[in-house]
Amino acid sequence: MTQCQLCEQQMDDDGYLCRGCVKATRVRLECLPDLYAGLLPFLAPPGGNGGGRGSKPVYAPLPVVEDILDLRGPGGLVGTAEQWLTVICRDRGHTVATPDGGGIEARLRAAVSGLLANMPWVAVSWPDAGEFAADIRELSRSVTSIIAPVPAVDRGRRIGHCPAIDPSGTLCGAVLRLAPGEKAVRCGWCDTRYPPYVWAQLKAWMTEDEKARHAA
């Protein structure tokens, strides 16, 4: 049995990438042209000049967001795809076709098409398959984080420290939070629940514990 170079899971088949990672890498490659296009609305900096209607800006705004310009430029998505295609073709002894113009988007589509065509060989026969797949995954994540960022998890409102005491007399002291949509406060450490009718007492306990900590 061999180990997949990307997910490090054991594989029943010989090669360098497992079937799941091959499929995921293909999907990421296929999405690169759409990710490239999706960056366009984010290229201009947000906001206006900050003045009222008809006012002149105090400072000239930046013409573009540089990080996004880099991703859409020759050294970004297209540069990464073309470089990997060049390395793969070199290692296979193939000639890399020179793009016939058409701009960066056309070059990106051509490079992606070439990479997809080589994926069967990459997965089974290329020792650098894991590095390639990891780079494509990171590139996809970088662009996706701009286009569709994952919203921050709402951990709820902080209440204080849990005043529960275990049978040995040890104070829990874990941070208590009221989770969104919940009516009772639950300690994530000791699992003690504090429904609304004990909140007044809960506050009193937490106040006593806070005083004790400062006095110690």
Side-chain angles (χ1 to χ4, degrees):
M1 296 180 69
T2 56
Q3 189 179 65
C4 174
Q5 288 187 349
L6 187 61
C7 70
E8 300 182 350
Q9 298 296 315
Q10 295 295 324
M11 304 187 301
D12 294 330
D13 303 325
D14 292 332
Y16 296 98
L17 294 175
C18 68
R19 295 179 184 179
C21 288
V22 170
K23 182 178 180 181
T25 303
R26 290 187 64 91
V27 170
R28 293 182 184 116
L29 286 170
E30 291 168 352
C31 288
L32 287 183
D34 290 334
L35 291 176
Y36 173 87
L39 284 171
L40 183 59
F42 298 88
L43 194 56
N49 57 33
R53 180 166 45 186
S55 64
K56 294 182 179 180
V58 178
Y59 301 102
L62 289 173
V64 291
V65 179
E66 292 186 3
D67 290 345
I68 297 176
L69 181 63
D70 290 341
L71 286 168
R72 284 180 54 89
L77 276 75
V78 67
T80 301
E82 287 181 342
Q83 287 172 8
W84 277 116
L85 182 59
T86 298
V87 173
I88 290 172
C89 290
R90 180 201 65 195
D91 289 357
R92 297 196 72 179
H94 295 172
T95 302
V96 182
T98 303
D100 297 327
I104 290 179
E105 189 167 2
R107 286 170 51 191
L108 178 59
R109 292 186 181 278
V112 166
S113 179
L115 291 171
L116 289 171
N118 282 283
M119 275 303 298
W121 177 83
V122 167
V124 175
S125 305
W126 198 35
D128 294 330
E131 184 181 353
F132 160 70
D135 198 24
I136 297 301
R137 179 179 62 185
E138 182 59 30
L139 183 64
S140 175
R141 286 177 176 176
S142 296
V143 180
T144 302
S145 68
I146 297 172
I147 297 175
V150 177
V153 177
D154 187 355
R155 299 175 62 193
R157 181 164 59 92
R158 190 181 188 278
I159 303 299
H161 295 275
C162 179
I165 298 177
D166 67 15
S168 68
T170 302
L171 177 70
C172 175
V175 174
L176 291 176
R177 293 182 183 276
L178 181 60
E182 293 292 330
K183 299 196 184 274
V185 177
R186 185 183 70 83
C187 178
W189 182 257
C190 69
D191 205 36
T192 302
R193 295 179 64 84
Y194 301 95
Y197 63 85
V198 301
W199 284 1
Q201 182 62 60
L202 172 62
K203 183 178 180 180
W205 286 330
M206 290 190 298
T207 300
E208 290 176 5
D209 293 338
E210 187 68 21
K211 290 179 178 178
R213 275 193 293 269
H214 286 301

